[in-house]
Structure formats: structure tokens, C-alpha cells
Amino acid sequence: MHLRHDTTHDVLAPGSAPTEPHCCPTARSLEWLHQMTRGENARIAPVTRPLLPCAPRISLPDDVALPVLEQLYGDSSTYVRTSVANHLHDLSVTQPDLVLATLQRWKVSGLVPDKHFAFIARQALRSRLKKGWPDAYAFLGYAPVELTPLVLERTELVDGDTLSFSATLTTTAPVPVHMMFVISSTTRTGKPREKLYFLLRSTGKPREKLPLAKDHVLRSTSTVELTPGAYSIALQVNGRRFPEVTFRVRKA
């Protein structure tokens, strides 16, 4: 695909000044988005992502590619649908309400099989789920659950030890369950630090207990130092964060 810039409108009369910077898109300069073929749209969807990894940020409004995504979300290709989901995910960082409204419109349209739409929605809202945004959980059908107090096998550890914890989850209806655990601490300078980890995605059955257990290795990495001091861990289920439990990391 070759995008050719039309320079016929760029010629200025002597002494005149441009009416707008070239980096500021207008309806005219973005018209090509609507004129592309389906195959071209499929290729342009990834490169217009607001937060495309390992790529420079482009001077376009975050939502400029929505017309393209509207044409692609029902595509038969898993690659294309994944690209659409990733694009919406980037947009959700700054405009979560717009992403939710877009997903709601696509859901109502019924143009996409439930399985494909569920994938797009879950991928698009994954960061919102991680942050515990209630609207994202409600849209995906997650409901409140009950959880027994979190139990730690040990509360004194050193760098390299395994933090083992467990709890039991119960529901009153068959609802999807999205669970994460959160480890909180402070840096050497006293700055709060919080790290979220994925734990489980399942479906709770009425009146049946779902045992939860995890062995998590506490280890310093090249980017994060495990400093001695007070720590806490909490479970976050369907957007709700349950009471934390404290533990300590000692100097080895």
C-alpha cells in the first residue's frame, strides 16, 4: 500500500502563510481513511494505534481511526480483530467512555459472533479491568462475589522466597470471575509502589466453593528491587478489592 501526499493544495502565494500546520489533521487531510479498500484498512489499523509499541507517536487525534475500526471489527481474520482490540485498548487509556460506547454499539448491532465480540471487548478493556473500573466489569458481565479472608502460609520472607496464599470464593449465581492479586510496598525513597498480577479467569457456580491458591516467587529483577520492609497483598475480584494482608521482607 502506498500513501501518496497530494501537494496541489500546498502551493502558497508569495507572502502568504499556511492556514494550518501540516501536523494538524483536518477533515480533508483525513479523507483517505474513508476511501481505502478493506484490505488497506486492515493494514492501516495497527499503524494508527495511539500507543503502538516501539513506534513514534503520530500527530493524530486518538479516535481518528474509529471509522476504520467500524469496518473491521467483524472481519473473519483473527489478526484483524486482534488489531482492532489493541487499538481500542490504546484508546481506553485516555477515553474509556468512548471505548465503552463503541463496544456497546457493536454489541447491539449483532454483526459479530458472540465469541469474537467477547474477545475484542475483553482485550480492549484489559487495562480497565486491571485498574478495577466498575463499568468495564459490568459491561463484561462480571458480578459481585464473596471471598473468605486471605491466608498467607508465611509472613516473614527474604528475596527469592515464595509467597504462598489461599482463599475461597463463592457466588450466588453462575457469573464470570476475573481475579487479580495486588502486592503493595514502598520504594527506598518512601514512594508507594503497587504491582498487579493476573490470577484466574473462570465461571463461578451457585453455592459451590472455588478454592484459590497461588505460589508467587518474590524476586528482585533488573528493573524492580525487592527492598526489605513491610508489604501487603490483596485479592481483586470483578473489580472489587478485598482487605489486604501484611507480610514482611527481611534482608537476606
Side-chain angles (χ1 to χ4, degrees), residues 88 91-103 125 128 133:
L88 284 183
L91 187 57
S92 75
V93 174
T94 56
Q95 301 188 54
D97 291 325
L98 175 61
V99 170
L100 205 58
T102 300
L103 290 170
L125 295 172
R128 295 288 101 188
W133 192 40

Side-chain angles (χ1 to χ4, degrees), residues 121-154:
R122 190 170 60 248
Q123 289 296 105
L125 295 172
R126 62 186 185 272
S127 284
R128 295 288 101 188
L129 292 176
K130 193 173 184 180
K131 292 182 178 295
W133 192 40
D135 290 353
Y137 281 93
F139 180 79
L140 293 173
Y142 293 105
V145 299
E146 294 302 322
L147 196 69
T148 61
L150 186 62
V151 176
L152 304 186
E153 186 175 289
R154 298 166 56 196

Side-chain angles (χ1 to χ4, degrees), residues 28-166:
R28 183 190 66 195
S29 63
L30 296 177
E31 196 174 68
W32 55 273
L33 282 174
H34 302 278
Q35 296 175 343
M36 286 183 169
T37 66
R38 188 176 187 83
E40 290 171 334
N41 279 335
R43 291 191 292 273
I44 204 64
V47 300
T48 54
R49 280 180 59 184
L51 302 176
L52 183 67
C54 303
R57 300 295 174 248
I58 56 178
S59 300
L60 292 174
D62 288 346
D63 60 349
V64 70
L66 274 182
V68 176
L69 304 185
E70 292 281 356
Q71 300 180 50
L72 297 177
Y73 75 93
D75 199 275
S76 60
S77 166
T78 301
Y79 169 82
V80 173
R81 293 194 305 273
T82 301
S83 176
V84 170
N86 286 336
H87 198 123
L88 284 183
H89 171 260
D90 288 357
L91 187 57
S92 75
V93 174
T94 56
Q95 301 188 54
D97 291 325
L98 175 61
V99 170
L100 205 58
T102 300
L103 290 170
Q104 183 64 51
R105 187 171 63 254
W106 292 355
K107 183 178 181 179
V108 172
S109 73
L111 297 179
V112 182
D114 290 345
K115 181 180 179 181
H116 293 171
F117 178 78
F119 169 80
I120 292 175
R122 190 170 60 248
Q123 289 296 105
L125 295 172
R126 62 186 185 272
S127 284
R128 295 288 101 188
L129 292 176
K130 193 173 184 180
K131 292 182 178 295
W133 192 40
D135 290 353
Y137 281 93
F139 180 79
L140 293 173
Y142 293 105
V145 299
E146 294 302 322
L147 196 69
T148 61
L150 186 62
V151 176
L152 304 186
E153 186 175 289
R154 298 166 56 196
T155 57
E156 294 280 337
L157 304 102
V158 297
D159 194 341
D161 279 351
T162 298
L163 174 66
S164 300
F165 59 89
S166 61

